[in-house]
């Protein structure tokens, strides 16, 4: 699978679509897919809940841990693609929506366990040799934290 554009045909949209399908399935809890689509050299760029920049999340196991941490807050979390994939060279971009029910575990959250939440984000994936080698996450964390009443009251 090559994501990079072919000068004659443009970006390989089919390959990008397959990658995104597996990417979303990973975020929906199919951890085995991480071994297929994440590079051991993967780097993450994101504003993390703990204030970090994502640089501590590395490789396949780091991505599995990141997905697991998010899913531990909402075990029924369901991601779906709203826009994309948009392909630009070796980059693939999607806009997603996630829905689920809060399971507890965020310090300072005033929302009761079971509160339904929905929030959006954009993922930018840089791909080499069919695997994600860099991941930029831009999630609407303010919307999520507002729904969970973090810091309210």
């Amino acid at each position: 699978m090559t994501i990079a554009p072919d000068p004659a045909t443009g970006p390989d949209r089919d390959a990008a679509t397959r990658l995104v399908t597996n990417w979303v399935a990973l975020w929906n809890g199919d951890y085995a897919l991480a071994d297929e689509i994440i590079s051991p050299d993967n780097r993450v760029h994101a504003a993390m809940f703990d204030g970090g920049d994502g640089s501590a999340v590395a490789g396949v196991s780091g991505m599995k841990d990141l997905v697991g941490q998010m899913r531990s807050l909402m075990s029924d979390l369901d991601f779906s693609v709203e826009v994309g994939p948009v392909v630009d060279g070796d980059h693939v971009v999607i806009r997603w929506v996630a829905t689920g029910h809060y399971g507890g575990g965020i310090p300072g959250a005033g929302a009761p366990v079971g509160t339904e939440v929905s929030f959006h984000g954009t993922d930018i994936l840089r791909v080499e040799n069919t695997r994600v080698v860099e991941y930029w996450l831009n999630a609407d964390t303010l919307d999520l934290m507002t729904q969970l009443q973090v810091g309210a009251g």
Side-chain angles (χ1 to χ4, degrees):
M1 169 174 86
T2 300
I3 300 296
D6 176 336
T9 62
D12 185 343
R13 185 159 182 80
D14 290 340
T17 300
R18 284 189 303 275
L19 176 67
V20 165
T21 298
N22 288 336
W23 178 256
V24 171
L26 167 63
W27 279 97
N28 283 332
D30 189 348
Y31 297 99
L33 286 169
D35 296 313
E36 296 176 32
I37 65 171
I38 305 298
S39 167
D41 301 321
N42 183 54
R43 295 182 309 174
V44 174
H45 311 277
M48 307 301 283
F49 286 155
D50 65 3
D53 63 3
S55 61
V57 179
V60 176
S61 64
M63 278 303 302
K64 287 179 181 179
D65 289 346
L66 178 61
V67 171
Q69 288 170 11
M70 191 65 194
R71 295 195 64 77
S72 73
L73 302 174
M74 292 168 260
S75 62
D76 68 343
L77 194 59
D78 182 64
F79 286 85
S80 60
V81 176
E82 288 188 320
V83 177
V86 176
V87 181
D88 183 12
D90 61 353
H91 290 83
V92 177
V93 181
I94 60 169
R95 168 90 173 154
W96 49 261
V97 60
T99 58
H101 295 85
Y102 178 53
I106 295 180
V113 169
T115 298
E116 186 174 357
V117 297
S118 177
F119 62 106
H120 295 82
T122 302
D123 289 351
I124 302 172
L125 311 173
R126 187 170 68 82
V127 179
E128 283 182 8
N129 300 319
T130 74
R131 294 179 185 250
V132 176
V133 294
E134 260 183 300
Y135 167 41
W136 290 265
L137 168 61
N138 183 354
D140 192 345
T141 306
L142 176 59
D143 184 30
L144 176 61
M145 293 300 131
T146 299
Q147 292 174 62
L148 296 177
Q149 303 170 23
V150 174

